Short mmCIF file of all heavy atoms in Angstrom, two decimals:
data_model
loop_
_atom_site.label_atom_id
_atom_site.label_comp_id
_atom_site.label_asym_id
_atom_site.label_seq_id
_atom_site.Cartn_x
_atom_site.Cartn_y
_atom_site.Cartn_z
N LEU P 391 76.41 -68.58 -76.78
CA LEU P 391 75.54 -67.40 -76.77
C LEU P 391 75.42 -66.81 -78.19
O LEU P 391 76.32 -66.90 -79.00
CB LEU P 391 76.12 -66.34 -75.88
CG LEU P 391 76.39 -66.74 -74.44
CD1 LEU P 391 77.17 -65.63 -73.66
CD2 LEU P 391 75.10 -67.10 -73.67
N THR P 392 74.26 -66.23 -78.46
CA THR P 392 74.14 -65.48 -79.70
C THR P 392 75.01 -64.23 -79.62
O THR P 392 75.41 -63.81 -78.54
CB THR P 392 72.67 -65.00 -79.90
OG1 THR P 392 72.33 -64.06 -78.87
CG2 THR P 392 71.69 -66.18 -79.85
N PRO P 393 75.33 -63.64 -80.77
CA PRO P 393 76.18 -62.46 -80.73
C PRO P 393 75.64 -61.33 -79.84
O PRO P 393 76.34 -60.70 -79.09
CB PRO P 393 76.26 -62.01 -82.21
CG PRO P 393 76.15 -63.35 -82.96
CD PRO P 393 75.12 -64.12 -82.14
N ALA P 394 74.30 -61.12 -79.93
CA ALA P 394 73.74 -60.08 -79.13
C ALA P 394 73.78 -60.40 -77.67
O ALA P 394 74.11 -59.51 -76.77
CB ALA P 394 72.23 -59.90 -79.52
N LYS P 395 73.54 -61.67 -77.25
CA LYS P 395 73.63 -62.02 -75.86
C LYS P 395 75.04 -62.03 -75.34
O LYS P 395 75.30 -61.78 -74.16
CB LYS P 395 72.91 -63.34 -75.64
CG LYS P 395 71.39 -63.24 -75.81
CD LYS P 395 70.71 -64.57 -75.64
CE LYS P 395 69.18 -64.38 -75.77
NZ LYS P 395 68.45 -65.67 -75.64
N TRP P 396 75.96 -62.37 -76.23
CA TRP P 396 77.40 -62.30 -75.87
C TRP P 396 77.79 -60.86 -75.52
O TRP P 396 78.39 -60.57 -74.52
CB TRP P 396 78.26 -62.84 -77.01
CG TRP P 396 79.68 -62.45 -76.94
CD1 TRP P 396 80.31 -61.45 -77.61
CD2 TRP P 396 80.71 -63.04 -76.11
NE1 TRP P 396 81.63 -61.36 -77.26
CE2 TRP P 396 81.90 -62.33 -76.37
CE3 TRP P 396 80.72 -64.10 -75.20
CZ2 TRP P 396 83.11 -62.68 -75.74
CZ3 TRP P 396 81.90 -64.46 -74.60
CH2 TRP P 396 83.09 -63.71 -74.87
N ARG P 397 77.39 -59.93 -76.38
CA ARG P 397 77.74 -58.51 -76.14
C ARG P 397 77.05 -57.97 -74.84
O ARG P 397 77.66 -57.22 -74.10
CB ARG P 397 77.30 -57.64 -77.35
CG ARG P 397 78.09 -57.91 -78.61
CD ARG P 397 77.86 -56.85 -79.65
NE ARG P 397 76.44 -56.80 -80.04
CZ ARG P 397 75.95 -57.53 -81.06
NH1 ARG P 397 76.73 -58.35 -81.77
NH2 ARG P 397 74.67 -57.43 -81.42
N ARG P 398 75.82 -58.46 -74.66
CA ARG P 398 75.13 -57.99 -73.45
C ARG P 398 75.80 -58.54 -72.19
O ARG P 398 75.96 -57.77 -71.21
CB ARG P 398 73.67 -58.50 -73.47
CG ARG P 398 72.84 -58.01 -72.29
CD ARG P 398 71.40 -58.51 -72.37
NE ARG P 398 71.34 -59.97 -72.24
CZ ARG P 398 70.23 -60.69 -72.34
NH1 ARG P 398 69.07 -60.08 -72.59
NH2 ARG P 398 70.25 -62.00 -72.19
N LEU P 399 76.19 -59.76 -72.18
CA LEU P 399 76.90 -60.35 -71.01
C LEU P 399 78.21 -59.59 -70.77
O LEU P 399 78.53 -59.21 -69.66
CB LEU P 399 77.14 -61.83 -71.24
CG LEU P 399 78.03 -62.46 -70.15
CD1 LEU P 399 77.34 -62.40 -68.75
CD2 LEU P 399 78.32 -63.94 -70.51
N ARG P 400 78.99 -59.41 -71.84
CA ARG P 400 80.26 -58.72 -71.67
C ARG P 400 80.10 -57.31 -71.18
O ARG P 400 80.82 -56.83 -70.30
CB ARG P 400 80.94 -58.72 -73.03
CG ARG P 400 82.37 -58.28 -73.02
CD ARG P 400 83.02 -58.41 -74.38
NE ARG P 400 82.33 -57.51 -75.37
CZ ARG P 400 82.72 -57.32 -76.62
NH1 ARG P 400 83.76 -58.03 -77.05
NH2 ARG P 400 82.08 -56.55 -77.43
N ALA P 401 79.05 -56.62 -71.68
CA ALA P 401 78.77 -55.26 -71.25
C ALA P 401 78.36 -55.19 -69.76
O ALA P 401 78.78 -54.34 -69.02
CB ALA P 401 77.72 -54.61 -72.13
N ALA P 402 77.54 -56.18 -69.39
CA ALA P 402 77.10 -56.21 -67.97
C ALA P 402 78.26 -56.53 -67.09
O ALA P 402 78.40 -55.88 -65.99
CB ALA P 402 76.00 -57.31 -67.86
N LEU P 403 79.12 -57.47 -67.42
CA LEU P 403 80.25 -57.80 -66.61
C LEU P 403 81.27 -56.64 -66.49
O LEU P 403 82.00 -56.55 -65.53
CB LEU P 403 80.92 -59.06 -67.13
CG LEU P 403 80.14 -60.33 -66.89
CD1 LEU P 403 80.78 -61.52 -67.63
CD2 LEU P 403 79.99 -60.59 -65.41
N ALA P 404 81.34 -55.81 -67.54
CA ALA P 404 82.22 -54.66 -67.50
C ALA P 404 81.87 -53.74 -66.29
O ALA P 404 82.75 -53.01 -65.81
CB ALA P 404 82.17 -53.88 -68.79
N LEU P 405 80.66 -53.79 -65.83
CA LEU P 405 80.23 -53.00 -64.72
C LEU P 405 80.82 -53.47 -63.37
O LEU P 405 80.70 -52.76 -62.40
CB LEU P 405 78.70 -52.93 -64.64
CG LEU P 405 77.92 -52.36 -65.82
CD1 LEU P 405 76.43 -52.57 -65.62
CD2 LEU P 405 78.22 -50.90 -65.95
N THR P 406 81.32 -54.69 -63.35
CA THR P 406 81.83 -55.27 -62.10
C THR P 406 83.37 -55.16 -62.03
O THR P 406 83.92 -55.66 -61.08
CB THR P 406 81.44 -56.75 -61.99
OG1 THR P 406 82.13 -57.51 -62.99
CG2 THR P 406 79.94 -56.94 -62.16
N LEU P 407 83.99 -54.47 -62.93
CA LEU P 407 85.45 -54.48 -63.05
C LEU P 407 85.95 -53.08 -63.25
O LEU P 407 85.48 -52.36 -64.11
CB LEU P 407 85.78 -55.38 -64.25
CG LEU P 407 87.20 -55.67 -64.58
CD1 LEU P 407 87.84 -56.55 -63.47
CD2 LEU P 407 87.28 -56.42 -65.95
N GLY P 408 86.92 -52.67 -62.48
CA GLY P 408 87.61 -51.42 -62.71
C GLY P 408 87.24 -50.31 -61.73
O GLY P 408 86.51 -50.48 -60.78
N ILE P 409 87.79 -49.15 -62.02
CA ILE P 409 87.69 -48.02 -61.07
C ILE P 409 86.26 -47.57 -60.87
O ILE P 409 85.86 -47.20 -59.74
CB ILE P 409 88.61 -46.84 -61.52
CG1 ILE P 409 88.56 -45.75 -60.42
CG2 ILE P 409 88.18 -46.29 -62.83
CD1 ILE P 409 89.07 -46.19 -59.07
N GLU P 410 85.42 -47.55 -61.92
CA GLU P 410 84.03 -47.12 -61.75
C GLU P 410 83.33 -48.02 -60.76
O GLU P 410 82.57 -47.54 -59.89
CB GLU P 410 83.28 -47.11 -63.11
CG GLU P 410 83.86 -46.16 -64.12
CD GLU P 410 84.98 -46.79 -64.97
OE1 GLU P 410 85.49 -47.89 -64.62
OE2 GLU P 410 85.33 -46.14 -65.97
N ALA P 411 83.51 -49.33 -60.83
CA ALA P 411 82.88 -50.26 -59.94
C ALA P 411 83.34 -50.05 -58.49
O ALA P 411 82.58 -50.09 -57.58
CB ALA P 411 83.18 -51.70 -60.37
N ILE P 412 84.61 -49.76 -58.34
CA ILE P 412 85.19 -49.56 -56.98
C ILE P 412 84.69 -48.22 -56.44
O ILE P 412 84.36 -48.09 -55.26
CB ILE P 412 86.71 -49.56 -57.07
CG1 ILE P 412 87.19 -51.00 -57.40
CG2 ILE P 412 87.27 -49.08 -55.69
CD1 ILE P 412 86.80 -52.09 -56.40
N VAL P 413 84.54 -47.19 -57.27
CA VAL P 413 84.01 -45.91 -56.80
C VAL P 413 82.57 -46.09 -56.24
O VAL P 413 82.24 -45.57 -55.19
CB VAL P 413 84.05 -44.87 -57.97
CG1 VAL P 413 83.21 -43.65 -57.60
CG2 VAL P 413 85.45 -44.44 -58.21
N VAL P 414 81.78 -46.85 -57.00
CA VAL P 414 80.39 -47.10 -56.49
C VAL P 414 80.42 -47.81 -55.18
O VAL P 414 79.68 -47.48 -54.27
CB VAL P 414 79.60 -47.84 -57.52
CG1 VAL P 414 78.26 -48.32 -56.97
CG2 VAL P 414 79.36 -47.04 -58.79
N GLN P 415 81.21 -48.83 -55.09
CA GLN P 415 81.27 -49.65 -53.86
C GLN P 415 81.80 -48.78 -52.69
O GLN P 415 81.20 -48.87 -51.56
CB GLN P 415 82.13 -50.86 -54.03
CG GLN P 415 81.55 -51.91 -54.99
CD GLN P 415 80.24 -52.46 -54.45
OE1 GLN P 415 80.15 -52.85 -53.32
NE2 GLN P 415 79.24 -52.49 -55.33
N LYS P 416 82.84 -48.05 -52.90
CA LYS P 416 83.45 -47.32 -51.80
C LYS P 416 82.70 -46.01 -51.46
O LYS P 416 82.51 -45.71 -50.29
CB LYS P 416 84.89 -46.98 -52.17
CG LYS P 416 85.81 -48.19 -52.41
CD LYS P 416 86.00 -48.99 -51.17
CE LYS P 416 86.85 -48.29 -50.11
NZ LYS P 416 87.09 -49.10 -48.94
N ASP P 417 82.31 -45.31 -52.51
CA ASP P 417 81.72 -43.97 -52.22
C ASP P 417 80.23 -44.01 -52.01
O ASP P 417 79.70 -43.34 -51.18
CB ASP P 417 82.04 -43.00 -53.40
CG ASP P 417 83.53 -42.70 -53.54
OD1 ASP P 417 84.33 -43.34 -52.81
OD2 ASP P 417 83.89 -41.93 -54.43
N VAL P 418 79.53 -44.78 -52.80
CA VAL P 418 78.08 -44.84 -52.77
C VAL P 418 77.63 -45.84 -51.69
O VAL P 418 76.72 -45.53 -50.88
CB VAL P 418 77.50 -45.20 -54.14
CG1 VAL P 418 75.95 -45.29 -54.08
CG2 VAL P 418 77.87 -44.18 -55.18
N CYS P 419 78.21 -47.00 -51.73
CA CYS P 419 77.79 -48.08 -50.81
C CYS P 419 78.55 -48.11 -49.44
O CYS P 419 78.13 -48.85 -48.58
CB CYS P 419 77.95 -49.44 -51.51
SG CYS P 419 77.02 -49.57 -53.04
N GLN P 420 79.61 -47.31 -49.40
CA GLN P 420 80.41 -47.23 -48.18
C GLN P 420 80.92 -48.63 -47.74
O GLN P 420 80.94 -48.98 -46.55
CB GLN P 420 79.57 -46.62 -47.01
CG GLN P 420 79.11 -45.23 -47.29
CD GLN P 420 80.28 -44.23 -47.35
OE1 GLN P 420 81.06 -44.09 -46.42
NE2 GLN P 420 80.38 -43.51 -48.46
N ALA P 421 81.31 -49.40 -48.70
CA ALA P 421 81.76 -50.78 -48.44
C ALA P 421 83.24 -50.81 -48.05
O ALA P 421 84.03 -49.89 -48.49
CB ALA P 421 81.57 -51.65 -49.67
N SER P 422 83.63 -51.78 -47.24
CA SER P 422 85.04 -51.99 -46.95
C SER P 422 85.67 -52.62 -48.18
O SER P 422 84.98 -53.05 -49.12
CB SER P 422 85.23 -52.92 -45.76
OG SER P 422 84.72 -54.22 -46.11
N ASN P 423 86.99 -52.68 -48.15
CA ASN P 423 87.67 -53.30 -49.35
C ASN P 423 87.21 -54.69 -49.55
O ASN P 423 86.92 -55.15 -50.71
CB ASN P 423 89.20 -53.24 -49.14
CG ASN P 423 89.74 -51.81 -49.32
OD1 ASN P 423 89.02 -50.90 -49.66
ND2 ASN P 423 91.03 -51.70 -49.08
N SER P 424 87.14 -55.49 -48.51
CA SER P 424 86.74 -56.93 -48.61
C SER P 424 85.28 -57.00 -49.10
O SER P 424 84.95 -57.90 -49.87
CB SER P 424 86.97 -57.66 -47.32
OG SER P 424 86.21 -57.05 -46.25
N GLU P 425 84.44 -56.17 -48.54
CA GLU P 425 83.01 -56.20 -48.99
C GLU P 425 82.92 -55.81 -50.44
O GLU P 425 82.11 -56.43 -51.17
CB GLU P 425 82.21 -55.23 -48.14
CG GLU P 425 82.00 -55.65 -46.71
CD GLU P 425 81.37 -54.57 -45.85
OE1 GLU P 425 81.54 -53.37 -46.20
OE2 GLU P 425 80.73 -54.92 -44.83
N ALA P 426 83.67 -54.82 -50.88
CA ALA P 426 83.61 -54.42 -52.29
C ALA P 426 84.01 -55.54 -53.22
O ALA P 426 83.29 -55.85 -54.19
CB ALA P 426 84.52 -53.21 -52.48
N LEU P 427 85.10 -56.21 -52.86
CA LEU P 427 85.59 -57.32 -53.76
C LEU P 427 84.55 -58.48 -53.75
O LEU P 427 84.28 -59.05 -54.82
CB LEU P 427 86.92 -57.83 -53.26
CG LEU P 427 88.12 -56.83 -53.43
CD1 LEU P 427 89.35 -57.37 -52.74
CD2 LEU P 427 88.40 -56.60 -54.90
N ALA P 428 84.01 -58.79 -52.61
CA ALA P 428 83.08 -59.90 -52.51
C ALA P 428 81.77 -59.57 -53.24
O ALA P 428 81.24 -60.41 -53.96
CB ALA P 428 82.73 -60.21 -51.05
#
Side-chain angles (χ1 to χ4, degrees):
L391 305 173
T392 66
K395 289 179 178 177
W396 163 261
R397 292 191 299 271
R398 183 180 65 183
L399 172 61
R400 190 177 62 176
L403 288 172
L405 299 173
T406 67
L407 184 67
I409 186 59
E410 297 89 347
I412 293 299
V413 167
V414 170
Q415 291 299 310
K416 299 294 291 182
D417 296 5
V418 178
C419 302
Q420 300 293 304
S422 67
N423 287 356
S424 60
E425 288 172 335
L427 292 173

